[in-house]
Amino acid sequence: MENQLQIYNTLSRQKEVFEPIHPGKVGLYVCGPTVYGKAHLGHARPAVTFDLLFRYLKHLGYKVRYVRNITDVGHLANDADEGEDKIAKKARLDELEPMEVVQIYTNDYHKNMEKLNVLPPSIEPRATGHIIEQIDAVEKILKSGYAYESKGSVYFDVEKYAKNFPYGELSGRKIEDLQANTRDLDGQDEKHSPLDFAIWKKASPEHIMRWPSRWSDGFPGWHMECTAMSCKYLGETFDIHGGGMDLTFPHHEAEIAQSKAAFGHDSVHYWMHNNMITLNGQKMGKSLGNAISLDDFFDGNHTLLEKAYSPMTIRFFMLTAQYRSTLDFSNEALQAAEKGMDRLLKAVETLEKLDAKTESTVNIAELKDKCYAAMNDDLNSPIAIAHLFDGVKMINSIADGKASISVDDLEALKSLYSTFVFEIFGLKKPEAESSANTAAYEKAIDLLLQLRMEAKANKDWATADKIRDELANLGFVVKDTKDGFSWELK
RNA sequence: GGUCGGUUGGCCGAGCGGCUAGGCAGCGGUCUGCAAAACCGCGUACGGCGGUUCGAAUCCGCCACCGACCUCCA
């Protein structure tokens, strides 16, 4: 079992061996952002989580079609079905065209994802680009009898559906509980039941984002886009659907209901949900007003941030927790992640310079097995990283001459680290600038340190220390090595 | 109120019945002209109270506290 990928399926509430519908191929759909604000730390969690899954599946040899949508219509700001569209609201506040808002924040999201080294998905469909498909899905549901038209809107008939299908199976809710706990909302008169949700909504006169349909000029309900677009690009049945835990209910539950009503069967084999980022133990969210944007993290411009944190620090930080656990943000935790990652990446550099001996005193095969076993156990990246740190000790010991490694093992170790650190975990070394300018200045620093070496050879400690101290004042860290020196900026 | 989840050493985080991760911080040592880095060693934590068991952080019960979802949220 250990050598097969197992993933936790929210639907069954247990880990299951992953078996794709079509051998060698995986269809993956993940709910992307609603683009009405800057990308924040919370957005990075599912992005990094499913990027890890995407990368790992590809590493295992699967051909993966990864679809991650952009929600640019249908997401209402207030009480269900009655509020203003989030995009339209932002557009009104900023005096922009709705599509301008969408473009600005889609660009922002893309820019930040690229910084985080999150691979672009295979297809990134927009809800507004799939109105026809959504209308078509609404028609299918109407035809199957699980929806009804009311005053130009179309609602999903939850109670009727619940008679034939287990509504609430994903989120663990019972229809009776939902009925008992429904809030009193205004404007529910169009619906047969408060549990019903809009799959097509008639636009009020002032509503800008609208499309014609046989029911009304209107717009699709939020849950429709994922049903329509996943079906279009991955088929009526596909392998994995992912998203944040906060989407489990009602969004994903509604998707399941829509698919079953439209197609007569389940669409998704494995439901995966990442947990939340917390701030002082509370969920970080845009609507809670405690979200810190990724831009802020990258340049340290926020009262809660002691310093700037690089995108790779954020990425590594997320990988040090298993995706189904909450992860609590703090400066201390982030700085620990930063230093830890630095140690890991330094060891990778050291690894490149290692000399092989005839015999190994280290067990590389075992290390490798452990890393894969951890990843196969529902993407347990923190365990895999722990093993990688065991390897860091090996590497440094070998560099210190306290352990030795054979030629074959050295190749295996290099391959292991390049696979896990870069290919699967998607970490990057800090960009080495290679312009003519930097080459010249690097040589100048080297020259200074050569002079320091000479001073040291002459036991002229005053001069040696002066060079080191002055460079330190400029932000250079100088270290003596066995046969020379090394330095880095900042 | 309902449903689900959590409570692990200074901090972050694994663990899912015995072999007591890992990182960061800290302490001691080795190396070094000094420093840094690196290496070696150290710290025995699992909310409380009971129970099951030869044995529990891990299973069961009760209690306490925290959180998520139930309305938009990644």
Side-chain angles (χ1 to χ4, degrees):
Chain A
M1 282 314 225
E2 231 179 35
N3 53 8
Q4 274 183 291
L5 174 61
Q6 287 192 277
I7 57 184
Y8 182 89
N9 191 341
T10 308
L11 201 54
S12 66
R13 272 150 240 280
Q14 58 190 17
K15 290 176 195 168
E16 297 175 8
V17 172
F18 176 69
E19 283 170 21
I21 295 162
H22 306 289
K25 293 180 184 168
V26 179
L28 169 64
Y29 187 93
V30 174
C31 291
T34 302
V35 282
Y36 69 111
K38 294 184 71 157
H40 61 76
L41 191 61
H43 290 114
R45 188 92 196 262
V48 170
T49 296
F50 293 104
D51 187 53
L52 178 67
L53 176 66
F54 184 35
R55 287 167 177 271
Y56 191 56
L57 287 170
K58 288 204 293 184
H59 171 72
L60 294 178
Y62 291 109
K63 187 171 182 222
V64 186
R65 181 178 291 167
Y66 176 17
V67 181
R68 187 186 64 205
N69 67 300
I70 294 283
T71 296
D72 56 0
V73 71
H75 220 158
L76 304 175
N78 292 311
D79 290 331
D81 309 334
E82 290 304 318
E84 192 174 4
D85 185 281
K86 284 191 170 183
I87 309 288
K89 182 179 179 185
K90 180 72 178 166
R92 182 170 56 76
L93 294 174
D94 290 358
E95 297 184 328
L96 297 169
E97 270 293 314
M99 273 301 133
E100 224 171 341
V101 173
V102 165
Q103 195 62 56
I104 287 166
Y105 295 115
T106 301
N107 290 348
D108 177 78
Y109 183 74
H110 285 159
K111 180 193 73 187
N112 284 126
M113 290 307 113
E114 192 180 335
K115 283 186 183 173
L116 287 168
N117 205 19
V118 167
L119 298 173
S122 326
I123 302 174
E124 189 172 56
R126 288 184 181 189
T128 53
H130 297 76
I131 302 295
I132 291 168
E133 288 82 355
Q134 294 182 75
I135 289 174
D136 190 50
V138 172
E139 291 284 16
K140 281 202 177 82
I141 297 168
L142 274 170
K143 203 170 176 183
S144 68
Y146 291 108
Y148 55 89
E149 188 187 344
S150 176
K151 296 182 181 172
S153 293
V154 182
Y155 291 96
F156 192 91
D157 192 336
V158 172
E159 292 188 1
K160 181 170 182 188
Y161 172 85
K163 286 186 183 129
N164 299 318
F165 299 104
Y167 187 75
E169 58 180 331
L170 183 70
S171 55
R173 283 173 169 74
K174 293 187 181 69
I175 188 102
E176 309 86 65
D177 295 337
L178 289 167
Q179 284 160 337
N181 287 296
T182 307
R183 290 191 178 191
D184 291 328
L185 298 174
D186 295 330
Q188 297 281 9
D189 53 308
E190 291 179 8
K191 299 186 194 175
H192 294 355
S193 158
L195 298 183
D196 295 349
F197 53 87
I199 55 181
W200 183 263
K201 186 75 188 157
K202 182 182 178 180
S204 54
E206 67 275 16
H207 204 102
I208 310 168
M209 301 176 82
R210 54 171 64 214
W211 291 265
S213 74
R214 72 179 176 91
W215 311 289
S216 63
D217 272 14
F219 53 93
W222 173 36
H223 313 307
M224 280 314 300
E225 59 172 293
C226 294
T227 301
M229 298 189 296
S230 63
C231 177
K232 174 161 184 172
Y233 298 112
L234 298 172
E236 279 186 19
T237 309
F238 59 96
D239 297 295
I240 304 171
H241 189 132
M245 258 181 199
D246 50 352
L247 298 180
T248 310
F249 191 92
H251 185 56
H252 293 328
E253 201 73 68
E255 276 187 57
I256 289 177
Q258 288 169 348
S259 296
K260 282 192 188 172
F263 315 131
H265 58 78
D266 270 316
S267 289
V268 178
H269 279 199
Y270 303 88
W271 282 93
M272 293 178 74
H273 291 97
N274 63 276
N275 214 318
M276 303 290 106
I277 302 280
T278 59
L279 176 59
N280 297 322
Q282 250 214 331
K283 174 180 166 180
M284 185 182 282
K286 184 164 167 64
S287 47
L288 292 166
N290 64 350
I292 305 174
S293 78
L294 289 166
D295 280 340
D296 286 347
F297 274 97
F298 301 158
D299 46 53
N301 269 332
H302 194 284
T303 48
L304 287 171
L305 300 176
E306 288 170 7
K307 63 190 279 298
Y309 299 97
S310 74
M312 282 306 107
T313 300
I314 301 293
R315 186 176 176 106
F316 187 76
F317 174 61
M318 298 208 168
L319 294 173
T320 58
Q322 209 267 350
Y323 75 90
R324 284 189 292 117
S325 303
T326 55
L327 175 59
D328 198 53
F329 154 82
S330 69
N331 282 285
E332 206 176 354
L334 237 30
Q335 281 162 34
E338 185 174 50
K339 286 181 185 167
M341 181 177 67
D342 201 41
R343 192 161 114 87
L344 179 62
L345 293 178
K346 283 225 172 70
V348 175
E349 279 177 35
T350 307
L351 175 60
E352 291 306 314
K353 298 171 198 153
L354 246 36
D355 294 320
K357 297 272 162 54
T358 49
E359 276 187 35
S360 277
T361 58
V362 289
N363 191 336
I364 305 304
E366 188 189 1
L367 181 68
K368 182 177 171 181
D369 288 347
K370 283 178 173 174
C371 288
Y372 279 101
M375 287 303 290
N376 284 340
D377 183 17
D378 194 31
L379 305 182
N380 201 329
S381 51
I383 292 287
I385 288 172
H387 294 313
L388 250 25
F389 274 110
D390 287 338
V392 168
K393 274 192 181 166
M394 279 183 200
I395 291 166
N396 288 331
S397 291
I398 295 164
D400 256 24
K402 286 170 181 155
S404 66
I405 189 165
S406 68
V407 177
D408 289 350
D409 275 351
L410 182 58
E411 281 316 303
L413 193 59
K414 282 181 181 172
S415 159
L416 181 69
Y417 274 72
S418 107
T419 298
F420 272 83
V421 176
F422 302 118
E423 187 184 330
I424 296 174
F425 290 145
L427 300 173
K428 275 193 299 195
K429 292 176 198 161
E431 293 290 315
E433 291 179 42
S434 55
S435 68
N437 279 349
T438 50
Y441 113 81
E442 281 171 8
K443 278 183 185 157
I445 304 292
D446 283 346
L447 183 65
L448 270 172
L449 290 174
Q450 289 290 355
L451 291 172
R452 178 166 173 272
M453 290 286 280
E454 286 169 25
K456 277 176 67 181
N458 296 329
K459 295 195 192 295
D460 179 4
W461 309 127
T463 304
D465 288 351
K466 187 181 180 190
I467 293 173
R468 187 173 63 192
D469 293 346
E470 293 290 327
L471 282 174
N473 287 338
L474 296 170
F476 292 93
V477 179
V478 176
K479 290 173 195 166
D480 292 347
T481 59
K482 256 183 285 180
D483 44 2
F485 55 83
S486 74
W487 63 270
E488 61 186 329
L489 188 56
K490 224 171 87 171

